Each structure stands twice: as structure tokens, then as C-alpha cells.
Amino acid sequence: MCGIVGYSGSGSPKQVILEGLKTLEYRGYDSAGVAILDGNHFKRVRAEGKLNILQEKLNQENFSGKIGIGHTRWATHGKPSERNAHPHCVKGISIVHNGIIENYADLREELKASGSEFHSDTDSELVAHLISAEVDLGHCLFESVLKILPKLEGAFSILAVSADQPDEMVAFKNGPPLIIGQANDAIIVASDVQAIIKHTKEVIYLNDFEVAHLKGSDFKLFDREGKVVAKKFVHIDWSPEQVEKQGYPHYMLKEIFEQPRAVASAIDPHIDLNEHKVFLNRLGFGRSVEELDKLDLAQDYQNTVQQLKKVERIFIVACGTSYYAGMVGKYVIEKLSRIPVEVDIASEFRYRDIVIPENSMFITISQSGETADTLAALRMVKAMRVPSLSICNVKRSTIDREADGHMYMNAGAEIGVASTKAFVCTLSLLNLLALSLAKAKETIDEASEQKWVRELLSSPSQMETVLAYDKFFAKASDTLKKYRGFLYMGRGVNYPIALEGALKLKELAYMHAEGYASGEMKHGPLALIDESMCIVMLAPSDDLYEKTVSNLEEAKARGGEVISIGSGENQKLRDVSKHYLSLPNASWFVNPILEVIPLQLLAYHVADALGHDVDQPRNLAKSVTVE
Ligand code: M6R
């Protein structure tokens, strides 16, 4: 949720921390701060608002030390303000925290009772108090962290420094990620590799309750008992260019345009290009993520096939956009493999008295791999010994690490808070999974497998053509932004895309938008329609097309303005619509991947025309690591 960066080395902490925080701003952006060594104390500078406000303040500051910590915040306890911004300092101790300390109320009361005075409304500040109390008892910073670790409940990743040991830093976590990179003459600790890869691509992921003790440009890892832990560096293959805007005005637009390439990267490892067959590669059921690169591919494939053969029921669990991808997956998997699929919102699933029959498979979908509810649902079913498969973008994220099998979106870094390329990559992976399940269950023959694989292989170039609607929406946005609301409609596999289109407009343009199964219109929502309502109808050529057109006529008769999206040239749709957008001819298998692109562009341009911050919409964060 929040972003944290720590630096210790021979360079300028101020510069490295600020650059690092910039790459993490998507995680939270309501306030920011740093504490950097200056002489024999840590000088703290904080600011409410986005990082550039802190940056302006820091322009006037100089620091003589070579160590510091920084934070960009997404408020959970205490409103966004300078007073609540991190770092929190108590006597010589400064800390930055990402996550939530669940037992903060009890701990705060205890600390207050023993004389501690609080200067913020956050749950985080008490960590500085707890460490400071241990230091007062004569413990060093590292020992103090080991002492307080058992007292903390909840999700946290924390960096701590002490003015008494000015060349040291301690990093520890339970839940949210914390990564350590070691460059030639420096150590960088951050909540995401993006803050590190400019300096080094060799990193270590801290596990829960591991404690990193950094000294100068070196460090050691310990478990919660203080025993040394040996760990190997992992190589990260993201280039720094991948996290820059590359000339686009916003990350989101860049990411929309990257979608064809992203889908190609997602499907590439799983397709035999000679035979046009699907070959789910490196799912590594039952193997740790560290072992995936070393798998015997043929053996692993046989293992995957055996796993899929056993499956009699599937549960897909996710949140937000990932949930809508899961809904598309349900239609595709059921149609091709005849395996019943249930799709659930993670926050509902985890608190439902869920019944999971034998031979079920549990699938999580998460771009970040850190979403708290999705992770909790995964842990719940793991405890029930249900085999799990994660579809994830961030390799070695918590969900990826904890699932039994692994599929990767390969979308590259997604910085815009609104998910775009991760969504289409997930759809393409679900298509491949559906084909693999169908093969395992022998519900499709070789010829149809090849037909579907060829369709999927054509989708990246078809997506390129759909991206041309960027110009249309850039122009139309001034009119579109004036509508009172938007109704997105579709049937079958297009219905979840209607939901996704509405979510995009809500989160970016802050406008009223709803997605509906078009067959539901006459059961209530038709009453909403008049000329101030824009209807976005997904009507590609599939076996529900005729019914969709009837629903469109009904809406049109009530005065709604219609944007229709269909396959190829279609005079009928053109006649009943204010705007008709034609997609390349494709089948129900690939249409969702194509038709979501105009909806993303619509939301992007309307939000931009309204003057909103498209990459960082209000009240949201990219990675939702708390409930
Ligand atoms: O990282 P995840 O895929 O688990 O995130 C789930 C949702 O928080 C996410 O899809 C959210 O709905 C996006 N902001 C939508 O654009």
C-alpha cells in the first residue's frame, strides 16, 4: 500500500531515496517523507501531498550522512497530513512502515500508560516507541527489533534507523514485500524491485519474520530468533526502461498501447508454434518458485497434465479487475472443458462457509500478487489442502510464492493504478488454461485446439488495430464527459467486459457507470435510461448477437445515446448507434481481449478531459495489501 525505500552506501541517500520513491508512488501518494543522517542525527523532512511537494522541500536541504529512509503513504490510520506522514521518530529512532498493525490500539494504550507521548494518529508510530523503549533498556537497534517483533500483529514491512548506530539499518516484515538489492558500494531496501533495478538486478526477497541487519554497504539476514539465515540473490529481468513512460503522457496510455506485446509475452511460453498446440509450461505444481527455472520441462508438463486431469470443479477467486477476468474465465473454461467453475470476490469468499468438493482446483488471479483478501482466500484453501494455481504478474510476490502452481501474466511493470495490460494477459492465460483443461478432459480434438491457438496467436495484431480508436476517444471525450452516466451492457462472455468497462470509468472519471448483463435491463435498469445516459453496448458477432441487438433496440427506444461495439462492418449496428466501433472479426474466444480496449480508451480520455490524475486516481492504490 505504501512505498518504502532505504539507502546505505557511498552515494547520495537523498537522490537515491527520492528516485526510488518516485517509482513507488503508485503504491500511495497522499504524503511522503524522508529521514537522512546529517551529522549525528537523522534529519526528517515530510510533506502532505504528492512526492513533488516533498522534493521541493528537499531541494533546500543538505545532508552530510550516507544513510537514510523514505516513505510514500496511502493512509489507513490517520488522515493524510504532514503530522501523519512517515518517518515517525522517537528520540533517536526513525521508522517507515507499510501495512497495518492490527493490535495497535492495545499497544498504544500500553505505551501511553508507561508515559509515551504520540505525535501522530497512525498505527505506525508505536513501532518507533517500542524500539526506543528497548534501546532505553540498553539493547542495540538490531536486538531491539528482535525484542519487539513478537509484539506486532498484522501486516508490516518496516525499516528502522537509530542515531546511536548511525551506519546501521534494520529491515523486517510480515506480509507486505521487502526487497534488498546490493550494488557495488551500496545497499537499497525497498517495497518493490522498481526502486532497485536502476542500481542492481540482483536482489533478495525477505521472508516473513526475517530480519535484515544492514551495516554500511553490507548486510546479514536473521530469523526471528536471531539465527543467521543464508539466502541467494535472485536475478530480476525487468529493464529500467520498462518502468518509464516512454513518451506517453501517462503510464496508463503507455500500458494500453503495450497490450499487444504483453499478450504475446503471456502466451509465448505456452504455445508450440510449430504445431499450434498449447503446452502449459513451468506451472511447477508443488515446486517452490525458486525451483521453477530449473524444472525438467517434459516432466513438469506431464505433472501438470496429471493435475488437470483430476480436476472436477474450479474455484476462481480475485478482486476488482482480476475478478472480472475470472468471470470471463468461467465462461471459457465451462464451454471448452465442461468443468463447473465458481467465481468469487475474495473478500466474500474468505468469510463464507465455503464448501469445496474433492478434486477441486483453486485459482487466484492477482496482478500484484499481494492483494490481502486474495491472499487470505488462498491461505484458507491451502489449509483445506485444495491444490492452488496462481495467475500473477509479479513473480515471487506473496501469492505466487504460496500457491502450488504458477502462471505468469508477463505484462511487465504495470504502474497506472487502473489495471489494463494485466487484464488482457490474464484473459489470454485463462484461454490457454481452458484449452489445457479441455485437452486433459478430452472435450476438444486436436483440430479445434489448433484453431483456438491460431485465434489467440492472431489476437496481438488484431489488438493493434483496435488501438486506433485512441484518436476517436481523444476527440469524443469532450462530449462524452457531459453525460449524466454510463450503462455498459453485454451478454455471455461480454458481460464481464461490460463490468470491467464500468469499473474503469468509475475509478478514473469518477462518473456513475454500471455494467449489466443486457438481458437484465428490463428487470429494472431500463428506468435509468433517457437522453442524458450513454449506453455502451458490446455486440460482437457470436451466438447471442441477435438477442443483444434486441436489447439495444429497447434501450435506444428509451432515448439513450448508444456507442455500439461489434465485429467487422455492421450496418444494422451503425443505424441504431450514435457511434459504431468495429472490431476485427474474431470469435467469442478472443472478443473479450479486443473489446475491452475501446472501453479502456474511453475511460482514459474522459478522465483526462475532466482533468483527473489518470495514473493515480483519488482514494485508490495499486496494491491493496490490507483488508
Ligand atoms: O493486484 P490485484 O490484481 O489483486 O488487484 C485487484 C484489484 O485491486 C485491482 O484489479 C483494481 O480493481 C484495479 N484498480 C482496477 O483497475
Side-chain angles (χ1 to χ4, degrees), residues 319-322 365-371 374 417-419 500 503-504 507 620-622 624:
C319 301
T321 289
S322 294
I365 301 173
S366 177
Q367 185 284 131
S368 61
E370 302 292 346
T371 301
T374 311
V417 163
S419 187
E500 169 61 5
L503 177 66
K504 282 287 152 296
E507 70 175 330
L620 301 179
K622 183 72 180 164
V624 185

CSV table of all heavy atoms in Angstrom, one decimal, residues 319-322 365-371 374 417-419 500 503-504 507 620-622 624, ligand 1:
chain,number,residue,atom,x,y,z
A,319,CYS,N,-10.1,-10.0,-6.9
A,319,CYS,CA,-10.7,-8.7,-6.6
A,319,CYS,C,-10.7,-7.8,-7.8
A,319,CYS,O,-9.8,-7.9,-8.6
A,319,CYS,CB,-10.0,-8.0,-5.5
A,319,CYS,SG,-9.8,-8.9,-4.0
A,320,GLY,N,-11.7,-6.9,-7.9
A,320,GLY,CA,-11.7,-5.9,-8.9
A,320,GLY,C,-11.6,-6.4,-10.3
A,320,GLY,O,-12.2,-7.3,-10.7
A,321,THR,N,-10.7,-5.8,-11.1
A,321,THR,CA,-10.5,-6.2,-12.5
A,321,THR,C,-10.1,-7.6,-12.6
A,321,THR,O,-10.5,-8.3,-13.5
A,321,THR,CB,-9.4,-5.2,-13.1
A,321,THR,OG1,-9.9,-3.9,-13.2
A,321,THR,CG2,-8.9,-5.7,-14.4
A,322,SER,N,-9.3,-8.1,-11.7
A,322,SER,CA,-8.9,-9.5,-11.7
A,322,SER,C,-10.1,-10.4,-11.6
A,322,SER,O,-10.1,-11.5,-12.2
A,322,SER,CB,-7.8,-9.8,-10.6
A,322,SER,OG,-6.7,-9.1,-10.9
A,365,ILE,N,-6.3,-15.0,-9.0
A,365,ILE,CA,-5.8,-14.0,-10.1
A,365,ILE,C,-5.4,-12.7,-9.4
A,365,ILE,O,-6.3,-12.2,-8.6
A,365,ILE,CB,-6.9,-13.8,-11.1
A,365,ILE,CG1,-7.3,-15.1,-11.8
A,365,ILE,CG2,-6.3,-12.8,-12.2
A,365,ILE,CD1,-8.5,-14.9,-12.8
A,366,SER,N,-4.2,-12.3,-9.5
A,366,SER,CA,-3.8,-11.1,-8.9
A,366,SER,C,-2.6,-10.5,-9.7
A,366,SER,O,-1.6,-11.1,-9.8
A,366,SER,CB,-3.4,-11.3,-7.5
A,366,SER,OG,-3.0,-10.1,-6.9
A,367,GLN,N,-2.8,-9.3,-10.2
A,367,GLN,CA,-1.7,-8.6,-10.9
A,367,GLN,C,-0.5,-8.5,-9.9
A,367,GLN,O,0.6,-8.9,-10.2
A,367,GLN,CB,-2.2,-7.2,-11.4
A,367,GLN,CG,-1.2,-6.5,-12.2
A,367,GLN,CD,-0.1,-5.8,-11.4
A,367,GLN,OE1,1.1,-5.9,-11.8
A,367,GLN,NE2,-0.4,-5.1,-10.4
A,368,SER,N,-0.8,-7.9,-8.7
A,368,SER,CA,0.3,-7.5,-7.8
A,368,SER,C,0.8,-8.8,-7.1
A,368,SER,O,1.9,-8.8,-6.6
A,368,SER,CB,-0.3,-6.5,-6.8
A,368,SER,OG,-1.3,-7.1,-6.0
A,369,GLY,N,-0.1,-9.7,-6.9
A,369,GLY,CA,0.3,-10.9,-6.1
A,369,GLY,C,0.3,-10.6,-4.6
A,369,GLY,O,0.8,-11.4,-3.8
A,370,GLU,N,-0.2,-9.4,-4.2
A,370,GLU,CA,-0.1,-9.0,-2.8
A,370,GLU,C,-1.5,-8.7,-2.2
A,370,GLU,O,-1.6,-8.3,-1.1
A,370,GLU,CB,0.8,-7.8,-2.6
A,370,GLU,CG,2.2,-8.0,-3.1
A,370,GLU,CD,3.0,-9.0,-2.3
A,370,GLU,OE1,2.6,-9.3,-1.2
A,370,GLU,OE2,4.1,-9.4,-2.8
A,371,THR,N,-2.6,-8.8,-3.0
A,371,THR,CA,-3.9,-8.3,-2.5
A,371,THR,C,-4.3,-9.1,-1.3
A,371,THR,O,-4.4,-10.4,-1.3
A,371,THR,CB,-4.9,-8.5,-3.7
A,371,THR,OG1,-4.4,-7.6,-4.7
A,371,THR,CG2,-6.3,-8.0,-3.3
A,374,THR,N,-7.3,-11.7,-1.4
A,374,THR,CA,-7.0,-12.9,-2.3
A,374,THR,C,-6.0,-13.8,-1.6
A,374,THR,O,-6.1,-15.0,-1.7
A,374,THR,CB,-6.4,-12.3,-3.7
A,374,THR,OG1,-7.3,-11.3,-4.1
A,374,THR,CG2,-6.3,-13.4,-4.7
A,417,VAL,N,-2.6,3.0,-11.8
A,417,VAL,CA,-3.4,2.3,-10.8
A,417,VAL,C,-4.5,1.4,-11.5
A,417,VAL,O,-4.9,0.3,-11.0
A,417,VAL,CB,-4.0,3.3,-9.8
A,417,VAL,CG1,-5.1,2.7,-9.0
A,417,VAL,CG2,-2.9,3.7,-8.8
A,418,ALA,N,-5.1,1.9,-12.6
A,418,ALA,CA,-6.1,1.2,-13.3
A,418,ALA,C,-5.4,0.0,-14.1
A,418,ALA,O,-4.5,0.3,-14.9
A,418,ALA,CB,-6.8,2.1,-14.3
A,419,SER,N,-5.9,-1.1,-13.8
A,419,SER,CA,-5.2,-2.3,-14.5
A,419,SER,C,-5.7,-2.4,-15.9
A,419,SER,O,-6.9,-2.4,-16.2
A,419,SER,CB,-5.6,-3.5,-13.6
A,419,SER,OG,-4.9,-4.6,-14.1
A,500,GLU,N,-16.2,-4.6,-16.4
A,500,GLU,CA,-14.8,-4.0,-16.4
A,500,GLU,C,-14.8,-2.6,-17.0
A,500,GLU,O,-14.1,-1.7,-16.5
A,500,GLU,CB,-13.9,-4.9,-17.2
A,500,GLU,CG,-12.5,-4.4,-17.5
A,500,GLU,CD,-11.6,-4.0,-16.2
A,500,GLU,OE1,-12.1,-4.3,-15.1
A,500,GLU,OE2,-10.6,-3.5,-16.4
A,503,LEU,N,-16.2,-0.3,-14.4
A,503,LEU,CA,-15.2,0.0,-13.3
A,503,LEU,C,-14.1,1.0,-13.7
A,503,LEU,O,-13.7,1.8,-13.0
A,503,LEU,CB,-14.5,-1.4,-12.9
A,503,LEU,CG,-13.5,-1.3,-11.8
A,503,LEU,CD1,-14.0,-0.8,-10.5
A,503,LEU,CD2,-12.7,-2.6,-11.6
A,504,LYS,N,-13.6,0.8,-15.0
A,504,LYS,CA,-12.6,1.7,-15.4
A,504,LYS,C,-13.1,3.2,-15.4
A,504,LYS,O,-12.4,4.1,-15.0
A,504,LYS,CB,-12.2,1.4,-16.9
A,504,LYS,CG,-11.3,0.2,-17.0
A,504,LYS,CD,-9.9,0.5,-16.5
A,504,LYS,CE,-9.1,-0.7,-16.0
A,504,LYS,NZ,-9.6,-1.3,-14.8
A,507,GLU,N,-13.4,4.4,-11.7
A,507,GLU,CA,-12.2,4.7,-11.0
A,507,GLU,C,-11.4,5.8,-11.6
A,507,GLU,O,-10.6,6.5,-10.8
A,507,GLU,CB,-11.3,3.4,-10.8
A,507,GLU,CG,-10.6,2.9,-12.0
A,507,GLU,CD,-9.7,1.7,-11.6
A,507,GLU,OE1,-9.2,1.6,-10.5
A,507,GLU,OE2,-9.6,0.8,-12.5
A,620,LEU,N,-7.4,5.7,-4.3
A,620,LEU,CA,-7.0,4.3,-4.6
A,620,LEU,C,-5.6,4.0,-4.5
A,620,LEU,O,-4.8,5.0,-4.3
A,620,LEU,CB,-7.4,4.0,-6.1
A,620,LEU,CG,-8.9,4.2,-6.4
A,620,LEU,CD1,-9.2,3.9,-7.9
A,620,LEU,CD2,-9.8,3.2,-5.5
A,621,ALA,N,-5.2,2.8,-4.5
A,621,ALA,CA,-3.8,2.4,-4.5
A,621,ALA,C,-3.6,1.2,-5.4
A,621,ALA,O,-4.6,0.5,-5.6
A,621,ALA,CB,-3.3,2.1,-3.1
A,622,LYS,N,-2.4,1.0,-5.9
A,622,LYS,CA,-2.2,-0.1,-6.9
A,622,LYS,C,-2.3,-1.4,-6.2
A,622,LYS,O,-2.8,-2.4,-6.7
A,622,LYS,CB,-0.9,0.2,-7.5
A,622,LYS,CG,-0.5,-0.9,-8.6
A,622,LYS,CD,-1.4,-0.6,-9.9
A,622,LYS,CE,-1.1,-1.6,-11.0
A,622,LYS,NZ,-2.1,-1.6,-12.0
A,624,VAL,N,-3.4,-3.5,-3.0
A,624,VAL,CA,-4.2,-3.4,-1.8
A,624,VAL,C,-3.9,-4.5,-0.8
A,624,VAL,O,-4.5,-5.5,-0.7
A,624,VAL,CB,-5.7,-3.5,-2.2
A,624,VAL,CG1,-6.6,-3.2,-1.0
A,624,VAL,CG2,-6.0,-2.4,-3.3
B,1,M6R,O1,-3.3,-6.8,-7.8
B,1,M6R,P1,-4.7,-7.4,-8.0
B,1,M6R,O2,-5.0,-7.9,-9.4
B,1,M6R,O3,-5.0,-8.5,-7.0
B,1,M6R,O4,-5.7,-6.2,-7.7
B,1,M6R,C1,-7.1,-6.4,-7.6
B,1,M6R,C2,-7.8,-5.0,-7.7
B,1,M6R,O5,-7.4,-4.2,-6.6
B,1,M6R,C3,-7.5,-4.3,-9.0
B,1,M6R,O6,-7.8,-5.0,-10.1
B,1,M6R,C4,-8.3,-3.0,-9.0
B,1,M6R,O7,-9.7,-3.3,-9.2
B,1,M6R,C5,-7.8,-2.1,-10.2
B,1,M6R,N1,-7.6,-0.7,-9.7
B,1,M6R,C6,-8.8,-1.9,-11.3
B,1,M6R,O8,-8.3,-1.2,-12.3
